[in-house]
PDB file of all heavy atoms in Angstrom:
ATOM      1  N   LYS A  22      24.567  14.938  32.327  1.00 98.00           N
ATOM      2  CA  LYS A  22      24.502  16.380  32.651  1.00 98.00           C
ATOM      3  C   LYS A  22      25.831  16.979  33.078  1.00 98.00           C
ATOM      4  O   LYS A  22      26.291  17.958  32.628  1.00 98.00           O
ATOM      5  CB  LYS A  22      23.468  16.575  33.849  1.00 98.00           C
ATOM      6  CG  LYS A  22      22.003  16.186  33.504  1.00 98.00           C
ATOM      7  CD  LYS A  22      21.089  16.429  34.591  1.00 98.00           C
ATOM      8  CE  LYS A  22      21.286  15.430  35.660  1.00 98.00           C
ATOM      9  NZ  LYS A  22      20.904  14.020  35.480  1.00 98.00           N
ATOM     10  N   THR A  23      26.514  16.269  34.092  1.00 98.00           N
ATOM     11  CA  THR A  23      27.706  16.755  34.624  1.00 98.00           C
ATOM     12  C   THR A  23      28.923  16.648  33.571  1.00 98.00           C
ATOM     13  O   THR A  23      29.676  17.616  33.497  1.00 98.00           O
ATOM     14  CB  THR A  23      28.041  15.853  35.899  1.00 98.00           C
ATOM     15  OG1 THR A  23      26.983  16.021  36.801  1.00 98.00           O
ATOM     16  CG2 THR A  23      29.335  16.358  36.482  1.00 98.00           C
ATOM     17  N   ASP A  47      24.368  20.631  42.402  1.00 97.00           N
ATOM     18  CA  ASP A  47      23.897  19.296  42.836  1.00 97.00           C
ATOM     19  C   ASP A  47      24.559  18.901  44.059  1.00 97.00           C
ATOM     20  O   ASP A  47      25.669  19.031  44.207  1.00 97.00           O
ATOM     21  CB  ASP A  47      24.252  18.285  41.653  1.00 97.00           C
ATOM     22  CG  ASP A  47      23.735  16.934  41.830  1.00 97.00           C
ATOM     23  OD1 ASP A  47      23.150  16.629  42.961  1.00 97.00           O
ATOM     24  OD2 ASP A  47      23.981  16.052  40.975  1.00 97.00           O
ATOM     25  N   GLN A  49      25.298  16.128  45.054  1.00 96.00           N
ATOM     26  CA  GLN A  49      26.297  15.092  44.930  1.00 96.00           C
ATOM     27  C   GLN A  49      27.610  15.734  44.398  1.00 96.00           C
ATOM     28  O   GLN A  49      28.664  15.059  44.469  1.00 96.00           O
ATOM     29  CB  GLN A  49      25.921  14.251  43.687  1.00 96.00           C
ATOM     30  CG  GLN A  49      24.557  13.505  43.829  1.00 96.00           C
ATOM     31  CD  GLN A  49      24.441  12.667  42.551  1.00 96.00           C
ATOM     32  OE1 GLN A  49      24.702  11.479  42.409  1.00 96.00           O
ATOM     33  NE2 GLN A  49      23.774  13.253  41.548  1.00 96.00           N
ATOM     34  N   ASN A  51      29.329  16.389  41.765  1.00 97.00           N
ATOM     35  CA  ASN A  51      30.137  15.502  40.855  1.00 97.00           C
ATOM     36  C   ASN A  51      30.952  16.429  39.988  1.00 97.00           C
ATOM     37  O   ASN A  51      32.096  16.116  39.667  1.00 97.00           O
ATOM     38  CB  ASN A  51      29.300  14.620  39.984  1.00 97.00           C
ATOM     39  CG  ASN A  51      28.748  13.418  40.767  1.00 97.00           C
ATOM     40  OD1 ASN A  51      29.214  13.150  41.783  1.00 97.00           O
ATOM     41  ND2 ASN A  51      27.750  12.869  40.269  1.00 97.00           N
ATOM     42  N   ASP A 161      24.995  23.058  36.485  1.00 98.00           N
ATOM     43  CA  ASP A 161      24.743  21.610  36.561  1.00 98.00           C
ATOM     44  C   ASP A 161      23.703  21.169  37.565  1.00 98.00           C
ATOM     45  O   ASP A 161      23.919  21.463  38.677  1.00 98.00           O
ATOM     46  CB  ASP A 161      26.132  20.894  36.824  1.00 98.00           C
ATOM     47  CG  ASP A 161      26.059  19.362  36.805  1.00 98.00           C
ATOM     48  OD1 ASP A 161      25.178  18.916  36.108  1.00 98.00           O
ATOM     49  OD2 ASP A 161      26.865  18.780  37.468  1.00 98.00           O
ATOM     50  N   CYS A 162      22.637  20.696  37.143  1.00 98.00           N
ATOM     51  CA  CYS A 162      21.443  20.381  38.018  1.00 98.00           C
ATOM     52  C   CYS A 162      21.482  18.982  38.577  1.00 98.00           C
ATOM     53  O   CYS A 162      22.197  18.138  38.027  1.00 98.00           O
ATOM     54  CB  CYS A 162      20.165  20.566  37.260  1.00 98.00           C
ATOM     55  SG  CYS A 162      19.935  22.350  36.711  1.00 98.00           S
TER      56      CYS A 162
HETATM   57 MG1   MG B 302      25.500  14.972  37.653  1.00 59.67          MG
END
Side-chain angles (χ1 to χ4, degrees):
K22 296 181 287 294
T23 301
D47 185 357
Q49 299 178 94
N51 289 341
D161 182 24
C162 298

